[in-house]
Amino acid sequence: MSPGLGGLYLKALTGFTKRGGELPTRVYERVGVGVDAEHLASYNQVCGFRLSDELPATYLHVVAFPLQVKLMTDADFPFPLIGTVHVANRIVQHRPVGVGERVDLRVHGENLRPHPKGTQFDMISAASVDGAVVWRGTSTYLRRGPGSGGSVPDPVPMPTSRWHVPGDIGRRYAAVSGDRNPIHLHPLAARVFGFRRAIAHGMWSKARCLAAFEGRLGGGFEVDVRFKLPVLLPGVVGFYADQGTGRFGLTDVGGTRPYLSGVVGSL
């Protein structure tokens, strides 16, 4: 059974006294996980994917996410969940996963390391069918604090199209993902955490970008993104994609502020 995110978020409120340390080596697992077709259809609609008998590559992140939260809210996890920022996500899909297939999930943490703005670590999620890994996700999280120094900003390409991001997309994505962080749900709640308005989920932004490539990718591919700046809701963003290099991203409409940068390519 999937861990209940509501109870885990309440548990996260008790974790503010955590002060760092080593990542636990524990692995959480779910075996024989199936997909609810209605839930998948709702997810596809929110993120811009077509209805299909194959899972979007970002969907298994949603399925594995409760296991990540369970691990990050354990008493021996070194950082509090609240205030820990999702800064990057890499997905490797070795082959498409069918709606009717059942997968075995494994989640663990690794690679604790310095970051220019604090400390970062990876949460690794893997999905297997009949013992073979078919999908692997790496979510990189940042805990702000004393860091390792400055970083060089990436150049921002000019967008080639504009997308309108509705004000309720945070609530809609929360409903299908279970990620009900208050910064995504309401402007008043977001202001408590320093944002002028509610902000879009990073994984919604990634999924929406990947949907723009639908039908152009093979069965096996890798998609890697960095979350740069928050997308305020509602808003208008610019999207760019270079078919030759596989690089893509989201910016403001003037192409001066990067929200997300990524690259996608076949295995």
PDB file of all heavy atoms in Angstrom, residues 11 18 26 71 73-78:
ATOM      1  N   LYS A  11       3.486  14.816   9.715  1.00  0.00           N
ATOM      2  CA  LYS A  11       4.707  14.371  10.390  1.00  0.00           C
ATOM      3  C   LYS A  11       5.866  15.302  10.083  1.00  0.00           C
ATOM      4  O   LYS A  11       6.742  15.543  10.929  1.00  0.00           O
ATOM      5  CB  LYS A  11       5.032  12.945   9.942  1.00  0.00           C
ATOM      6  CG  LYS A  11       6.225  12.316  10.644  1.00  0.00           C
ATOM      7  CD  LYS A  11       6.444  10.897  10.131  1.00  0.00           C
ATOM      8  CE  LYS A  11       7.660  10.252  10.778  1.00  0.00           C
ATOM      9  NZ  LYS A  11       7.905   8.885  10.240  1.00  0.00           N
ATOM     10  N   LYS A  18      15.917  18.891  12.876  1.00  0.00           N
ATOM     11  CA  LYS A  18      16.965  18.120  12.210  1.00  0.00           C
ATOM     12  C   LYS A  18      18.107  19.041  11.796  1.00  0.00           C
ATOM     13  O   LYS A  18      17.877  20.151  11.304  1.00  0.00           O
ATOM     14  CB  LYS A  18      16.395  17.410  10.988  1.00  0.00           C
ATOM     15  CG  LYS A  18      15.349  16.341  11.329  1.00  0.00           C
ATOM     16  CD  LYS A  18      14.821  15.670  10.063  1.00  0.00           C
ATOM     17  CE  LYS A  18      13.837  14.571  10.385  1.00  0.00           C
ATOM     18  NZ  LYS A  18      13.344  13.893   9.166  1.00  0.00           N
ATOM     19  N   ARG A  26      18.523   2.878   4.243  1.00  0.00           N
ATOM     20  CA  ARG A  26      17.285   2.113   4.141  1.00  0.00           C
ATOM     21  C   ARG A  26      16.652   2.248   2.745  1.00  0.00           C
ATOM     22  O   ARG A  26      16.708   3.308   2.110  1.00  0.00           O
ATOM     23  CB  ARG A  26      16.311   2.607   5.210  1.00  0.00           C
ATOM     24  CG  ARG A  26      15.012   1.888   5.344  1.00  0.00           C
ATOM     25  CD  ARG A  26      14.326   2.240   6.655  1.00  0.00           C
ATOM     26  NE  ARG A  26      14.268   3.685   6.887  1.00  0.00           N
ATOM     27  CZ  ARG A  26      15.087   4.339   7.696  1.00  0.00           C
ATOM     28  NH1 ARG A  26      16.056   3.713   8.359  1.00  0.00           N
ATOM     29  NH2 ARG A  26      14.970   5.651   7.862  1.00  0.00           N
ATOM     30  N   LEU A  71      10.526   8.329   3.375  1.00  0.00           N
ATOM     31  CA  LEU A  71      11.924   8.265   3.788  1.00  0.00           C
ATOM     32  C   LEU A  71      12.392   9.613   4.334  1.00  0.00           C
ATOM     33  O   LEU A  71      13.090   9.684   5.358  1.00  0.00           O
ATOM     34  CB  LEU A  71      12.788   7.833   2.608  1.00  0.00           C
ATOM     35  CG  LEU A  71      14.285   7.641   2.870  1.00  0.00           C
ATOM     36  CD1 LEU A  71      14.523   6.631   3.987  1.00  0.00           C
ATOM     37  CD2 LEU A  71      15.001   7.193   1.606  1.00  0.00           C
ATOM     38  N   THR A  73      10.742  11.893   5.804  1.00  0.00           N
ATOM     39  CA  THR A  73      10.122  12.277   7.075  1.00  0.00           C
ATOM     40  C   THR A  73      10.460  11.319   8.206  1.00  0.00           C
ATOM     41  O   THR A  73       9.995  11.505   9.334  1.00  0.00           O
ATOM     42  CB  THR A  73       8.584  12.379   6.932  1.00  0.00           C
ATOM     43  OG1 THR A  73       8.060  11.167   6.387  1.00  0.00           O
ATOM     44  CG2 THR A  73       8.197  13.548   6.042  1.00  0.00           C
ATOM     45  N   ASP A  74      11.271  10.294   7.936  1.00  0.00           N
ATOM     46  CA  ASP A  74      11.731   9.415   9.009  1.00  0.00           C
ATOM     47  C   ASP A  74      12.593  10.193   9.997  1.00  0.00           C
ATOM     48  O   ASP A  74      13.277  11.162   9.630  1.00  0.00           O
ATOM     49  CB  ASP A  74      12.546   8.251   8.436  1.00  0.00           C
ATOM     50  CG  ASP A  74      11.662   7.167   7.832  1.00  0.00           C
ATOM     51  OD1 ASP A  74      10.435   7.203   8.055  1.00  0.00           O
ATOM     52  OD2 ASP A  74      12.207   6.288   7.141  1.00  0.00           O
ATOM     53  N   ALA A  75      12.595   9.752  11.229  1.00  0.00           N
ATOM     54  CA  ALA A  75      13.295  10.480  12.291  1.00  0.00           C
ATOM     55  C   ALA A  75      14.798  10.561  12.034  1.00  0.00           C
ATOM     56  O   ALA A  75      15.440  11.541  12.430  1.00  0.00           O
ATOM     57  CB  ALA A  75      13.021   9.819  13.639  1.00  0.00           C
ATOM     58  N   ASP A  76      15.381   9.555  11.371  1.00  0.00           N
ATOM     59  CA  ASP A  76      16.831   9.566  11.168  1.00  0.00           C
ATOM     60  C   ASP A  76      17.247  10.219   9.858  1.00  0.00           C
ATOM     61  O   ASP A  76      18.431  10.236   9.516  1.00  0.00           O
ATOM     62  CB  ASP A  76      17.390   8.144  11.244  1.00  0.00           C
ATOM     63  CG  ASP A  76      16.825   7.214  10.167  1.00  0.00           C
ATOM     64  OD1 ASP A  76      15.817   7.586   9.530  1.00  0.00           O
ATOM     65  OD2 ASP A  76      17.388   6.116   9.974  1.00  0.00           O
ATOM     66  N   PHE A  77      16.282  10.772   9.093  1.00  0.00           N
ATOM     67  CA  PHE A  77      16.674  11.493   7.887  1.00  0.00           C
ATOM     68  C   PHE A  77      17.259  12.833   8.310  1.00  0.00           C
ATOM     69  O   PHE A  77      16.699  13.513   9.172  1.00  0.00           O
ATOM     70  CB  PHE A  77      15.477  11.693   6.955  1.00  0.00           C
ATOM     71  CG  PHE A  77      15.891  11.993   5.544  1.00  0.00           C
ATOM     72  CD1 PHE A  77      16.237  10.982   4.668  1.00  0.00           C
ATOM     73  CD2 PHE A  77      15.971  13.303   5.096  1.00  0.00           C
ATOM     74  CE1 PHE A  77      16.645  11.250   3.378  1.00  0.00           C
ATOM     75  CE2 PHE A  77      16.381  13.598   3.805  1.00  0.00           C
ATOM     76  CZ  PHE A  77      16.720  12.558   2.944  1.00  0.00           C
ATOM     77  N   PRO A  78      18.380  13.257   7.738  1.00  0.00           N
ATOM     78  CA  PRO A  78      19.128  14.374   8.332  1.00  0.00           C
ATOM     79  C   PRO A  78      18.537  15.765   8.112  1.00  0.00           C
ATOM     80  O   PRO A  78      18.948  16.707   8.792  1.00  0.00           O
ATOM     81  CB  PRO A  78      20.499  14.272   7.650  1.00  0.00           C
ATOM     82  CG  PRO A  78      20.244  13.565   6.361  1.00  0.00           C
ATOM     83  CD  PRO A  78      19.142  12.595   6.658  1.00  0.00           C
TER      84      PRO A  78
END
